[in-house]
Amino acid sequence: MQYHLNGFRPGNPEVHPAARARPDAPPKTLDAPPETPDVLPDTLDVLIVGCGPAGLTLAAYLAGFPQISTRIVERKPGPLEKGQADGISCRSMEMFAAFGFADTVIRQGYQVSETTFWAPDPANPAHIARQGRVDDVEEGLSEMPHMILNQARVHDLYLDVMRNAPSRLVPDYGLELAGLTIDPGAAYPVTAMLRDTDTGEIRTCRARYVVGCDGARSAVREAIGLRLEGSSANQAWGVMDILAVTDFPDIRLKTLIKSARDGNVIIIPREGGYLVRLYIEMDQLREGERVSSRAITSETLIAAAQRIFHPFSLDVREVVWWSVYEIGQRLAARFDDLPEAQSATGLPHVFIAGDACHTHSPKAGQGMNVSMGDAFNLGWKLAAVLTGRAPPDLLRSYSAERQAVAADLIAFDRDWARIMSARPGALPAAQSAATADDGEDADFQRHFIAHGRYTAGMSVRYAPSSLIGTARWQALAPGFPIGARFHSAPVVRLSDARPVQLGQIVQADARWRLIAFCPAQEPGPSSAIAELCAFLATSRASPCRRHTPKDADPDAVIDLRAVFPQNRRDLALEAMPPALLPRKGRFGLIDYEKIFCADPSPGRNIYDLRGIDRAQGCLLVLRPDQYVAHLLPLHETGALSDFFAGILTEV
Ligand code: FAD
């Protein structure tokens, strides 16, 4: 990480200097920054409702922008301590890297490396036997692992980011949204009524934007007249986090057990080495039936699990948390307050994210991950609009992009739930090139492998729009599909020879990135990279000049990086174009972290891994949420300028 840009600061660099006080906040000092003021201001830029994964992702994002007044309210009296979701997909880990805490999750969490499959033993169907094992994540899919960590710990990590951010944001617990009204013509169009859960007192707060991250029974969704459509509560699953003694050998592996007569269990080993989560499939509910009517207890769940584990023993010593989790695949038609007729022209003021707009079965571990993905998409857009970098119509793209993603994932979830519940041996053959061990239930394993990109969070591909360019030049780097998330690869930094993952240049800071992959030519004055740099630094048509405020650092809005195919020792730092060694901050210090070289080690060269055209190179435009927005030849500067002109405000 980079720090000391504006002068030496002792102490933990992850605690950012507190921002200068806003006019509506008490004074803040560096030594004793006050907590977020107790009293909710009358007016706010963004009010977030709900401290689940969606709300906290958004709050952590906006906390980095002290010029945006943000508050997050939660009806519960304090932070979540245990329970709920725990699966963190590779894609979410890539996002955590942008927030700076992926390494903490790797250190504290359980890493899912292998999944095993158990089914009735063909020789004795009353017993279960291992039918196969597969790698949990396809080789090379991401530099990040699939992790398991309690949702409550994920919340803590976000709360740390918020507390250490320049705006020192902390949630307002014990406040619940009781209703909202919208007056589109007002400076603060949304009026929110908030009830103090202790006193019952109602406060009102006017906001430019309200984001409902308030879960499956969202009051925000109801207030804007949207409903979750689809099958509700069709399947009940018991879930329990336990400390147990067992002779089942795969208890520390993610395991799917299908018994002949007693149903299915998913074993999710948990962080810390001892804790285990069991998901136990309960009966299908009748139409309109609620799971509470079944009077299920933790003893019911333990007994069901013991029957499925047979002939292995399961001696439960402590039930840490348990719940009966009843969920269907449901989806809202829109994720904002615009009537359908105004979806292409209106300006939204209220958004919903996470379970408020889509719910999934827990079987594919999507709930928390997709919810965080929604907020990551909305975070940079709100930041861009509220800091004046982009016009408010950018916000229309949130519902358009994320509703399509959720619809796709719900279709996958429905399919996956059907596969999970199928009786052993009852599945048709899966279309998958990947191999699975042969055995009674090999088809089930093939389905698992075929669905791996969905469960890893890598299936998202945004459709062409003003934010996603044409695929005309895709052949310059087929390994970076336009609209998909940037697939990172190793590179070596020129200035200090440090090996790094290129994808990790993206931080949760609403900046766009331009990555110039240079052709195999000397980077002299008439080289393609020198000409591109000259255009970006000096031309009036340069998007970097057009969209960056005069007094800001040159990379404040669009951050230019370059990757060279040459060996690091064959390149001279001093011969690099000045735009790749920009001067920044109050001292005009040089930023040495913009230039990278391909890693020459076998199997690690980014040009080979992603199929980058060595003769022509290419220019990759990366969105602030790590998705590939565009891919162009290095000399297509006109198309580059036009692309940004359609998104960002000219300063
Ligand atoms: P949530 O995490 O639901 O957060 C919404 C927040 O909003 C809550 O903190 C809530 O208190 C708050 N809130 C609600 N209404 C208001 C209001 N009017 N005013 C203020 N605050 C409000 N997923 C799994 O994969 N595995 C599991 O085992 C699992 N178990 C779950 C158990 C429970 C009890 C629940 C609720 C969810 C479970 N999930 C599980 C789902 C998973 O936790 C969600 O998919 C994920 O948390 C969605 O995140 P979110 O931020 O959208 O919503």
Side-chain angles (χ1 to χ4, degrees):
M1 63 186 293
Q2 290 178 290
Y3 45 100
H4 299 319
L5 174 64
N6 290 314
F8 177 81
R9 265 186 77 239
N12 180 355
E14 292 186 358
V15 180
H16 297 273
R20 222 175 279 234
R22 293 169 47 90
D24 59 352
K28 294 183 178 199
T29 65
L30 196 63
D31 296 336
E35 298 291 276
T36 310
D38 266 356
V39 182
L40 206 63
D42 293 336
T43 56
L44 279 174
D45 290 323
V46 184
L47 175 69
I48 304 167
V49 184
C51 276
L56 291 171
T57 303
L58 184 60
Y61 207 106
L62 295 177
F65 297 85
Q67 63 274 52
I68 300 173
S69 59
T70 304
R71 293 291 277 255
I72 176 167
V73 297
E74 164 61 49
R75 65 149 64 110
K76 289 186 193 135
L80 187 73
E81 287 178 358
K82 56 188 174 183
Q84 302 197 198
D86 57 6
I88 302 170
S89 68
C90 302
R91 174 69 198 119
S92 294
M93 288 294 291
E94 293 173 358
M95 189 189 77
F96 288 174
F99 282 107
F101 59 76
D103 47 353
T104 309
V105 175
I106 292 173
R107 201 171 59 252
Q108 295 186 1
Y110 170 87
Q111 181 170 333
V112 191
S113 300
E114 190 175 80
T115 297
T116 66
F117 302 88
W118 290 65
D121 185 345
N124 178 4
H127 288 191
I128 52 168
R130 190 191 295 114
Q131 304 292 326
R133 48 174 102 226
V134 297
D135 290 343
D136 185 78
V137 179
E138 178 189 322
E139 177 76 26
L141 191 62
S142 170
E143 83 278 19
M144 285 293 169
H146 175 191
M147 298 298 301
I148 303 291
L149 187 67
N150 187 345
Q151 182 174 327
R153 276 302 293 143
V154 174
H155 287 192
D156 290 345
L157 295 168
Y158 277 125
L159 291 167
D160 285 346
V161 171
M162 290 158 57
R163 201 178 295 119
N164 294 334
S167 55
R168 301 287 192 267
L169 181 61
V170 294
D172 294 279
Y173 293 108
L175 269 188
E176 80 177 347
L177 184 96
L180 57 80
T181 56
I182 306 167
D183 174 3
Y188 293 90
V190 195
T191 302
M193 272 72 74
L194 297 163
R195 185 185 299 113
D196 185 315
T197 55
D198 279 339
T199 63
E201 182 196 340
I202 297 273
R203 312 177 196 177
T204 50
C205 171
R206 289 177 301 128
R208 290 188 209 281
Y209 300 104
V210 169
V211 188
C213 303
D214 48 346
R217 303 210 171 116
S218 167
V220 176
R221 184 186 67 231
E222 199 179 310
I224 57 173
L226 292 171
R227 284 164 19 98
L228 288 181
E229 311 277 357
S231 59
S232 64
N234 53 357
Q235 178 73 62
W237 279 71
V239 49
M240 56 182 180
D241 291 335
I242 54 171
L243 294 167
V245 176
T246 177
D247 56 357
F248 182 71
D250 289 357
I251 197 72
R252 296 307 300 165
L253 291 172
K254 178 177 166 190
T255 297
L256 290 83
I257 308 177
K258 284 177 170 233
S259 73
R261 284 198 317 272
D262 294 305
N264 306 331
V265 157
I266 306 174
I267 301 173
I268 307 287
R270 294 288 300 267
E271 63 271 21
Y274 302 101
L275 194 67
V276 174
R277 170 166 288 195
L278 301 183
Y279 281 106
I280 304 145
E281 188 170 15
M282 310 303 287
D283 296 341
Q284 190 89 17
L285 300 172
R286 288 186 298 276
E287 189 65 32
E289 187 190 10
R290 301 308 302 262
V291 74
S292 48
S293 67
R294 297 277 175 116
I296 294 169
T297 63
S298 58
E299 285 75 26
T300 321
L301 299 184
I302 292 170
Q306 284 169 334
R307 284 195 298 275
I308 296 168
F309 269 65
H310 184 74
F312 300 98
S313 64
L314 180 72
D315 178 8
V316 177
R317 302 290 170 94
E318 185 181 336
V319 177
V320 177
W321 175 82
W322 74 277
S323 167
V324 181
Y325 182 58
E326 137 206 11
I327 204 98
Q329 292 89 7
R330 295 188 293 157
L331 178 66
R334 296 193 58 80
F335 292 2
D336 63 25
D337 61 324
L338 285 181
E340 203 50 49
Q342 292 175 26
S343 61
T345 52
L347 294 178
H349 301 290
V350 180
F351 306 89
I352 48 177
D355 276 14
C357 36
H358 45 74
T359 61
H360 315 253
S361 78
K363 296 171 205 177
Q366 292 296 307
M368 173 159 69
N369 292 299
V370 188
S371 301
M372 295 188 296
D374 289 344
F376 201 50
N377 181 293
L378 184 57
W380 71 265
K381 293 174 182 173
L382 280 172
V385 169
L386 287 164
T387 54
R389 296 180 195 183
D393 58 12
L394 172 67
L395 297 171
R396 283 201 291 265
S397 65
Y398 166 70
S399 178
E401 291 192 334
R402 295 305 295 180
Q403 210 273 352
V405 165
D408 189 39
L409 284 169
I410 279 177
F412 151 71
D413 194 46
R414 201 170 279 134
D415 194 33
W416 185 232
R418 182 185 56 76
I419 292 164
M420 289 284 295
S421 300
R423 293 184 66 75
L427 288 172
Q431 300 294 310
S432 170
T435 55
D437 292 2
D438 278 335
E440 167 74 7
D441 216 16
D443 275 336
F444 181 64
Q445 296 171 47
R446 291 195 184 94
H447 278 278
F448 179 88
I449 296 166
H451 286 86
R453 284 180 174 245
Y454 276 88
T455 39
M458 301 304 176
S459 63
V460 175
R461 185 126 185 220
Y462 292 126
S465 70
S466 61
L467 298 175
I468 298 291
T470 156
R472 181 173 162 200
W473 295 292
Q474 181 71 74
L476 292 174
F480 292 128
I482 296 170
R485 115 307 181 186
F486 178 73
H487 191 176
S488 183
V491 287
V492 181
R493 205 153 55 200
L494 178 67
S495 60
D496 60 357
R498 180 170 172 153
V500 289
Q501 277 290 335
L502 188 57
Q504 292 177 18
I505 59 174
V506 181
Q507 292 158 6
D509 57 9
R511 288 193 289 164
W512 289 75
R513 265 92 196 169
L514 287 180
I515 308 179
F517 289 95
C518 304
Q521 64 177 164
E522 279 299 308
S526 57
S527 63
I529 183 65
E531 285 177 7
L532 174 71
C533 286
F535 166 79
L536 292 173
T538 59
S539 168
R540 288 168 66 110
S542 158
C544 301
R545 295 195 59 203
R546 269 189 186 167
H547 306 296
T548 307
K550 299 266 171 300
D551 54 350
D553 285 334
D555 60 357
V557 178
I558 302 173
D559 176 13
L560 172 66
R561 313 278 177 140
V563 181
F564 289 87
Q566 289 93 330
N567 196 312
R568 196 187 68 81
R569 293 186 180 173
D570 297 334
L571 286 172
L573 184 85
E574 59 278 19
M576 289 295 156
L580 294 176
L581 293 161
R583 292 177 170 265
K584 292 165 50 177
R586 58 190 270 241
F587 299 126
L589 300 183
I590 298 170
D591 185 338
Y592 287 102
E593 303 198 359
K594 305 293 190 190
I595 311 169
F596 305 89
C597 305
D599 185 333
S601 330
R604 291 174 63 84
N605 189 312
I606 191 168
Y607 282 71
D608 297 334
L609 289 170
R610 304 290 169 254
I612 300 164
D613 188 321
R614 279 189 161 83
Q616 299 183 63
C618 64
L619 182 62
L620 193 111
V621 183
L622 206 52
R623 293 177 15 156
D625 54 3
Q626 302 164 321
Y627 283 82
V628 177
H630 211 350
L631 188 68
L632 311 119
L634 290 168
H635 58 79
E636 281 287 345
T637 49
L640 179 72
S641 300
D642 291 348
F643 179 73
F644 278 109
I647 302 167
L648 297 177
T649 312
E650 190 157 347
V651 292

